[in-house]
Structure formats: structure tokens, C-alpha cells
Amino acid sequence: MAGDGKPVGSSMAWKMKAYALPLLLFTLSLFYQLAVLPNSFPPSHYDVLGIKRYSSVEEVKDAYERLSSKWRSGEEIPATVDFLKGVRMNSSLTFEFCLLMCYLVKILVYVSMQVRYAFELLTNPIWKRDYDYFGIDEQLSVLDAAKLQYAENSFSHVDLPLINDTSFGDQALNGMSSWDGATNNSKPLLLLLYSKGSNRCARFLETWKRIADFLEGTATIGMVEVGEVQMATSFAERKPTGQFFFRNGLPSLVALPSGCQTSDCLMRFEGDLSVDAVTDWFATSVIGLPRILYYSKESLVQNFMAKSGPHKVKVIFFSKTGERAAPFVRQAAKHYWAHASFGFVLWREEDFSFWWNSFEIESAPAVVFVKDPGLRPVVFHGSLNNSVLLDLMENNNQHELPQLRSVTSRKLGCDARGYSQAGNHVTSWYCVIVAGRLSPELNKMRETLRRVQELQSGGGDLSIDKEQSSSMVMALKSKRLTFAWLDGEAQEKYCSFYLQSETSYDTCGPRRDVTDEPKLFLVRYKRNETEADIEAEKTQKNKWNALLNEDVDPASQLVARYNGSSEIPEIIKWISQTISDGDTRDLPFYRTKTPDLVPEDSEPMWSRGAQSVLSKSIGVKHSFRRIISRISDHVGDPRIGPMLLLGALMSFGTIWLSRSQQKPHTQPGQQNESAEEDEAVKRRRERSRNARKKDKPPSMTDSEPKDAYQMPMSDSDSE
């Protein structure tokens, strides 16, 4: 029994439980110091030569000469085979001893190769610089290969030198010499950190040139040789001990998104150093470009052309290789996403007839622009680069008959806020619009109006009286006339605003029956004052009139609806006559508030946060990877062991002090007296509680008294 009356075993277990935390911290401290820390700090090549770290090349040579002189002064380390022959001649040696000696001979040969490797590494200025500053030792596998190759030979048979020098060559490289030069770029920056003494960097150089070609126009490309120590350390990682390092060695790729000014937003590539992997990482994670999918001939119409919407031009790339879309193509897809949809098709020779009949494609590579219904697609055969693609997109990002949308109304001039293609000096301009739900009837009317536009722009010949169309031609030449089509179902309010009639439901809003009737109308916009006069007038008006003025559009609108036939001459005659009346007649000046056009496309997911330094999703991944990397780096921090030991000692002292101050020790007799006093107090409390219950008077809700009886009622029926 222990002094407190408890068994010795239970007392010991109770104490172990109380001091569990200090014991755990102490155990972790020992394990860290004896197991983890030695693996985090293996012997350096300076230790192999027996000299202090960062010794000069001359000191390295002297140390190697001292070691090699010892080998030359005595007998050379024998080969394993020769040693075994000598062992067989001496039968007194045991088999176990022979095996041990053979193992020792192999170790000596391996140590000799380690010394030679350290000598070759540390006497090369570039290799020594990389090893001293960044701990780079990429040719360490040479030792393992030599160990296997020369396991049965003596050191004299080892081919020297162990390390082959690198021929990097004189290359015209785009170098970065300062942090300001890296951050003062309007485009995202991709940097290659390399060493002229690295075989891996020399082999990667051709791949890097291809990556630079792929990223042309979308990023700034630069290279930093680690000999530029101040610049290289800005992009290197740092261990808790202060040692700079590159986690995956060299070459190392780092990226700075546009607007990045500090190393906090620096992004490191940790994948496979291939053209596809690097360009896809940079385009997706750094720039935030959309991916462009591949489609087969079976899925192209259903999954691409039908889902991309009728308001967009379809841009289809045909590829022979099936490789991922180049970053400049993805950049164009991002820039023109409001006007065009992009897709890829893998070219197969057996599908030649299908693609020829569909788009007149002869071979790949090629790109096709599919525009208005009934219009021949625009086809370009040949390889593309950034400038060629941008030229093609500028010429083909709109339908021939453009759609009136929220993003095109100002450019087209079909806007009552006072915007005109002809400029602010023009007082009146016109917009001819065909509206309707998506249907074959609307496609036919769009084709008719597009034909009208081509004829009056000089793109065709038709027997039309020039005097009848003169007003229309002059308006086109002066950019006072625009043609467009309107999706009546998507823009129901806008469509109904101009076509208010009993039959407008056949044109505007959702389809109610099988009838689809596209309608043609013309809007005349007119302003009678310049913007300066309007601003001057507003300053003279009171606040109430200014508030009323803001509820209407600056330009007046008059609408003329066409009720004639679908013949082109009749339409041209009507448009020209309406324009002539609008320019010559004194028509009323009526202003109102036009409904806003509804955006056809919501903001794409890939564009959210793309203009910032890092988007939310990428920022979370980047932060998570950084946390994991920092945890792995701190595993080798030599301060962790002493901190664990200090924590163990402090927790042990705290627990011991708190336990010793809980209550003073008492003698066994005193313990018995205190126990009896406690029992007496409990008995007194119980007696007082029972007494209070007995003295309590009965209430109406108590049980019936013994002397109580039931008094009969006077009018009772009982006898």
C-alpha cells in the first residue's frame, strides 16, 4: 500500500496518466534528435574530404592530395575477387569472417569513389557555386551507378572522371537581371531558372524554346542563370536554417501573374517538364484561360454548335495531332468569348468526305468560321500563329448580319442613349431590325436582310431604281444606317416595346403556338442638341426636372413597321423612303425610356478573378501547397528538438507545482476525524429535511382526511 492508502500499482498508473503530456513531449524530442534530425542533415561532400564547409578550391585539392597520398603510400585496396582468392588459400579463416572482410573491401572502394566524386564536384567552379548556394547536386546518381559497375573491381579500374562536364553552348537567351525587371511587366511572366553546369538544364533547353514559341503573345518569357545570385535567391525557396534551395532542382519554372509585385503571389511549377504540361499549367493556373474541348463529327453539332448559342460565331479548329490548344488560341477564346465559341476536331482521313461536304475542309491544320444561316463558312488552311489568328478573328468575329445584343448595341448605333456609328456630330441615324423567335422563318428573313445590306453596300447587282434607293445608299456610306437582327424570345421586353400590337406575341416572347412570324421595323434616332448644350441646360434646371430628365433616353425614337412582301426590291424601296421622310419631314421629337437588352451570356467561370493576381480557387490551392511545403521544410529544423524538450520540462514543472499546491498532507488520525465530522453533518441535514416534511399542513390537493365523509345533496335521487 502507498502512504495515501491506495495500492502502489494504481498510484503509479495515476501518476503516469497525470504526466502523460510531458512524457510524450520528451519521447518526441528524443526521437527527433536521434532519428529525424540526422536524416535531415546528411554528411556533406566537405565532410567526406575532412574539411570545413565552403572551403576554397585550393583547400579541396589539398585535402584530396592528402587522402590519395595515403592510398599510394600503402598497398592499394584489393579487388573483391582477388581478396576471395587469398581467403581460399587460408583455410583457418571462418566463412563469416570472409564475408565480413569482402563487405569491408566493397565499402572501402565505395568510399574511395565518394572522395573522388567530392573532389570533382568541388573543384569545378560552377558545380561548387551551385552546391554551396543552393545545395544542388544533380549528378549524385553517378555514385550509385559506379558502385554497381565496379563492385567486383579495385579502385584503379574505375573510369575517371566520374562526372562529365556539361557543354551548355552559347545561346541567345532572354535574361532577367533584377526584380524590378521581372515585376514591371503588363503581361504575366514565366521565368526559367537554370545553371550552365547542369546537364538537365542543357537537355531542357530545346523544350524551353518550344514553350516560349507556344506562349508568344500571351506572356513575357525570361531566364535567370543561378550565377546571378541576388536575382536567383529572390525566386528560390528558403529552409528554416537559411539555406536557399530549389525543391525539385534545376531547371525550375516560376510564374508571376500580371500585377504581382511581391514573392507572395509567385507560383512554382511542380509537374512534368514537358511542353504540354508547362503551357497548360501557365495558361490555366496563371493566366486563367478557358480550355477548348475536342469534338467528334457525331458530337460537334449537338454538343458544340447547338449549345454555343445562335448569337455567336462558331470557330472550329482541325488538328492532325490532337494536341491541346495553344495558349494564344485560348487567349483569343477568352478575348472574343462574347462573340465566338471555339472548338477542336481531330482530323482523320477517313472523314474527308464528311468535312468537305459540311465545311469544304481539304486537310488539317485548318480553321473554319461558321456565321449566318445559309452563308458559306470562311475556311483558312495552314498553320496559325498569334498574329494570323488575331487578324482572322478581327475580320470574322461577327455575323454578316450582326445581332442586336447588350454588348453590340452601342457599336451598331442601335442605341437611344445617343451613340451613333457616324459620331456625335450626327443628329439623326437609323437602325433596320428584323425580330423574331429562332426558326426557319427568321433565318430566311435574316438572309433576305443580309442580301439587302450586301446589295446596297456594293456587293451585288440588282435592277433597282437608283433614285428610289439613293437615300438608303447615302445613309450607309455615312454610317447613319445599320442592319441587325433581334432574338425576340430572349429580348421579349425590348421586342414588345417596338412592336406593340395584337400579333406581337407571334414575334416576341416564348413560343405559344406553331406560328412564328418575324417582323421588320426601322427605328429613327434623333437628337436636337449637342452634348455640351445638354449639359448646360441641365445645370440651369432644378433638381426635380433633372431627375425627370434622367428617366428618358437622350435621343428621340420613331418606329416604322414594314408590312409589305419579302421581296428585296420592295424592302429596299421602303427603307429608302422611310429614311428620306425622316431626314426631310418635320416629325415630332418624342423621347422615352427604352428597356435594357438582356445579356445572352452569364459571366463565364474562368473569367471570374482572372484579371486579379490570383483567383479564389487557385489562391486556395496555392496556399494549401505552400502550407504543406512549409511543414515538410520545418521537419528538418534543428530547433524543433530543443523546443520539444523545453515543452516537456515546462509542462512537467507546471503539473508538479499544481498537484503539490492542491491541499496539504494530513495524518491518518486526522483523516478519520474529518470523515466522522462529515458523517455527522450529513445526518443533521437529513433529520432537518424530514422534520420540515412532517410539519407541513395538508392542502386541498392532499389525500382525503380519515374523518371526512360525503354529505348527500337535498335533491338527490337516492333513497
Side-chain angles (χ1 to χ4, degrees):
M1 300 288 289
D4 56 357
K6 296 182 180 180
V8 177
S10 62
S11 177
M12 182 61 67
W14 181 77
K15 290 182 179 179
M16 291 289 291
K17 183 178 180 180
Y19 291 97
L21 179 60
L23 289 174
L24 176 62
L25 293 176
F26 181 74
T27 305
L28 290 176
S29 174
L30 288 179
F31 175 77
Y32 186 86
Q33 291 294 121
L34 299 178
V36 177
L37 199 59
N39 292 330
S40 301
F41 291 90
S44 67
H45 294 303
Y46 291 98
D47 298 329
V48 172
L49 295 173
I51 56 179
K52 63 181 180 180
R53 196 174 181 86
Y54 307 121
S55 297
S56 63
V57 175
E58 288 74 15
E59 292 174 329
V60 172
K61 291 180 179 179
D62 293 340
Y64 180 74
E65 287 296 330
R66 287 195 300 269
L67 292 174
S68 60
S69 63
K70 293 179 181 180
W71 300 337
R72 289 194 297 268
S73 61
E75 295 183 359
E76 191 197 359
I77 301 173
T80 306
V81 176
D82 297 335
F83 182 79
L84 288 175
K85 290 180 180 179
V87 167
R88 292 193 188 99
M89 297 176 63
N90 192 349
S91 59
S92 62
L93 297 177
T94 61
F95 179 73
E96 290 79 6
F97 179 76
C98 296
L99 290 179
L100 178 60
M101 294 304 295
C102 291
Y103 181 70
L104 291 176
V105 170
K106 289 184 178 180
I107 291 178
L108 290 174
V109 174
Y110 183 59
V111 170
S112 303
M113 288 189 289
Q114 278 187 312
V115 172
R116 178 66 190 188
Y117 178 87
F119 167 73
E120 294 181 8
L121 178 75
L122 298 178
T123 52
N124 185 299
I126 297 180
W127 295 341
K128 185 178 188 301
R129 176 204 67 192
D130 297 346
Y131 182 73
D132 289 346
Y133 281 108
F134 305 103
I136 298 172
D137 187 12
E138 68 177 34
Q139 304 186 81
L140 193 59
S141 59
V142 171
L143 277 176
D144 298 328
K147 179 181 178 181
L148 296 175
Q149 182 178 358
Y150 303 106
E152 306 298 333
N153 299 322
S154 63
F155 182 72
S156 60
H157 292 84
V158 177
D159 293 333
L160 300 178
L162 293 175
I163 310 175
N164 296 321
D165 199 357
T166 304
S167 177
F168 204 84
D170 296 330
Q171 305 289 340
L173 305 175
N174 180 18
M176 289 283 177
S177 58
S178 66
W179 176 263
D180 292 336
T183 55
N184 293 336
N185 283 287
S186 58
K187 295 181 180 179
L189 173 66
L190 179 63
L191 279 180
L192 169 67
L193 292 109
Y194 72 100
S195 171
K196 291 184 177 180
S198 170
N199 286 318
R200 292 181 59 192
C201 294
R203 292 192 298 267
F204 180 71
L205 189 58
E206 291 300 323
T207 303
W208 173 250
K209 291 179 180 179
R210 293 184 57 199
I211 292 172
D213 292 339
F214 270 97
L215 295 177
E216 180 187 2
T218 60
T220 301
I221 305 298
M223 300 177 69
V224 175
E225 212 278 331
V226 293
E228 298 284 343
V229 178
Q230 184 177 2
M231 188 67 178
T233 52
S234 301
F235 297 103
E237 297 181 76
R238 196 168 188 175
K239 295 181 179 179
T241 57
Q243 172 73 45
F244 292 100
F245 74 106
F246 295 100
R247 191 171 304 278
N248 298 318
L250 294 179
S252 178
L253 296 175
V254 296
L256 278 76
S258 95
C260 177
Q261 298 293 330
T262 64
S263 59
D264 294 335
C265 54
L266 187 144
M267 304 175 66
R268 303 181 188 277
F269 177 70
E270 299 177 355
D272 181 33
L273 291 174
S274 63
V275 177
D276 180 72
V278 173
T279 54
D280 180 60
W281 164 78
F282 188 82
T284 305
S285 301
V286 180
I287 310 179
L289 299 181
R291 296 184 183 275
I292 303 177
L293 304 180
Y294 271 81
Y295 299 91
S296 64
K297 65 178 183 180
E298 293 80 14
S299 63
L300 182 67
V301 175
Q302 181 179 0
N303 296 337
F304 173 65
M305 302 188 71
K307 292 183 177 181
S308 60
H311 56 280
K312 290 188 176 183
V313 175
K314 283 70 175 177
V315 185
I316 308 172
F317 295 84
F318 288 82
S319 171
K320 280 186 177 181
T321 60
E323 62 185 6
R324 202 187 307 269
F328 69 85
V329 178
R330 297 170 64 177
Q331 180 74 45
K334 176 182 178 180
H335 182 72
Y336 293 100
W337 76 270
H339 306 285
S341 297
F342 287 66
F344 265 77
V345 171
L346 179 61
W347 173 265
R348 292 187 175 91
E349 292 296 336
E350 56 268 25
D351 298 332
F352 167 79
S353 59
F354 177 83
W355 298 121
W356 173 258
N357 295 329
S358 300
F359 305 118
E360 298 182 0
I361 298 295
E362 298 178 353
S363 62
V367 58
V368 179
F369 297 87
V370 182
K371 299 184 179 181
D372 307 60
L375 189 67
R376 291 181 60 183
V378 178
V379 180
F380 174 84
H381 287 92
S383 300
L384 291 173
N385 56 32
N386 185 47
S387 60
V388 174
L389 180 61
L390 290 180
D391 290 340
L392 290 173
M393 290 304 304
E394 283 298 317
N395 296 326
N396 299 282
N397 68 82
Q398 296 282 354
H399 291 285
E400 295 298 324
L401 180 67
Q403 182 185 6
L404 181 57
R405 303 163 52 201
S406 59
V407 296
T408 62
S409 61
R410 181 170 180 175
K411 182 179 179 180
L412 295 175
C414 301
D415 196 323
R417 295 177 179 87
Y419 303 115
S420 171
Q421 285 186 332
N424 294 330
H425 64 281
V426 176
T427 59
S428 63
W429 64 98
Y430 302 87
C431 192
V432 180
I433 304 171
V434 56
R437 288 188 286 266
L438 300 177
S439 61
E441 292 81 5
L442 177 62
N443 292 340
K444 183 178 179 181
M445 196 63 189
R446 286 172 56 187
E447 188 173 355
T448 300
L449 192 59
R450 177 173 54 81
R451 183 62 176 159
V452 170
Q453 181 182 5
E454 291 179 355
L455 290 171
Q456 297 305 301
S457 300
D461 186 18
L462 192 66
S463 56
I464 302 175
D465 189 353
K466 293 184 179 180
E467 293 183 359
Q468 293 181 350
S469 62
S470 59
S471 299
M472 179 179 175
V473 173
M474 292 178 62
L476 274 174
K477 290 182 178 180
S478 60
K479 297 184 178 181
R480 294 172 53 240
L481 176 61
T482 306
F483 294 88
W485 70 277
L486 180 72
D487 187 348
E489 183 174 2
Q491 308 293 343
E492 179 180 6
K493 291 183 178 180
Y494 192 90
C495 179
S496 300
F497 175 80
Y498 289 104
L499 298 176
Q500 291 181 355
S501 64
E502 296 179 355
T503 60
S504 61
Y505 61 85
D506 292 335
T507 306
C508 308
R511 183 175 283 104
R512 295 178 174 84
D513 52 32
V514 295
T515 305
D516 288 312
E517 184 181 353
K519 293 183 179 179
L520 182 67
F521 62 94
L522 183 148
V523 182
R524 190 203 72 166
Y525 303 95
K526 185 180 177 68
R527 53 186 168 206
N528 58 357
E529 295 173 323
T530 63
E531 293 184 0
D533 294 336
I534 294 176
E535 292 298 328
E537 182 183 355
K538 283 185 177 181
T539 57
Q540 296 174 2
K541 292 181 178 180
N542 56 35
K543 294 182 179 180
W544 175 253
N545 290 336
L547 181 63
L548 291 177
N549 232 13
E550 291 178 357
D551 292 336
V552 297
D553 296 321
S556 70
Q557 301 178 75
L558 291 178
V559 181
R561 301 180 183 87
Y562 178 69
N563 297 317
S565 66
S566 58
E567 298 295 329
I568 292 178
E570 293 296 325
I571 295 176
I572 293 176
K573 182 179 178 181
W574 171 76
I575 295 174
S576 184
Q577 183 62 44
T578 306
I579 293 174
S580 177
D581 293 343
D583 290 340
T584 57
R585 295 177 58 184
D586 186 15
L587 300 174
F589 188 84
Y590 175 73
R591 294 194 301 171
T592 185
K593 181 65 176 177
T594 308
D596 293 329
L597 290 163
V598 179
E600 287 81 0
D601 296 317
S602 59
E603 185 182 9
M605 291 296 296
W606 44 261
S607 72
R608 297 174 186 175
Q611 300 300 326
S612 61
V613 172
L614 285 177
S615 65
K616 292 183 179 180
S617 60
I618 296 175
V620 171
K621 295 178 182 178
H622 186 57
S623 301
F624 181 75
R625 290 175 182 172
R626 182 181 297 177
I627 292 172
I628 297 299
S629 300
R630 288 182 176 178
I631 291 175
S632 62
D633 294 341
H634 280 79
V635 169
D637 192 344
R639 297 171 294 183
I640 293 180
M643 290 173 63
L644 290 173
L645 180 59
L646 179 62
L649 295 176
M650 293 181 64
S651 60
F652 178 84
T654 303
I655 295 173
W656 179 85
L657 185 62
S658 61
R659 285 173 49 80
S660 62
Q661 293 180 351
Q662 283 182 355
K663 60 181 180 179
H665 295 288
T666 57
Q667 298 296 329
Q670 295 176 350
Q671 292 179 358
N672 295 334
E673 292 177 2
S674 61
E676 292 176 359
E677 292 178 358
D678 293 341
E679 281 295 325
V681 171
K682 289 182 180 180
R683 286 195 296 269
R684 285 196 298 270
R685 290 177 179 175
E686 188 67 25
R687 284 196 300 269
S688 62
R689 191 181 300 111
N690 294 335
R692 286 196 298 270
K693 290 182 179 180
K694 290 181 180 179
D695 297 339
K696 186 177 180 180
S699 66
M700 296 177 63
T701 59
D702 290 339
S703 57
E704 184 177 319
K706 296 180 180 180
D707 56 349
Y709 69 95
Q710 183 71 31
M711 179 180 290
M713 302 288 292
S714 59
D715 56 348
S716 176
D717 295 337
S718 60
E719 295 180 358

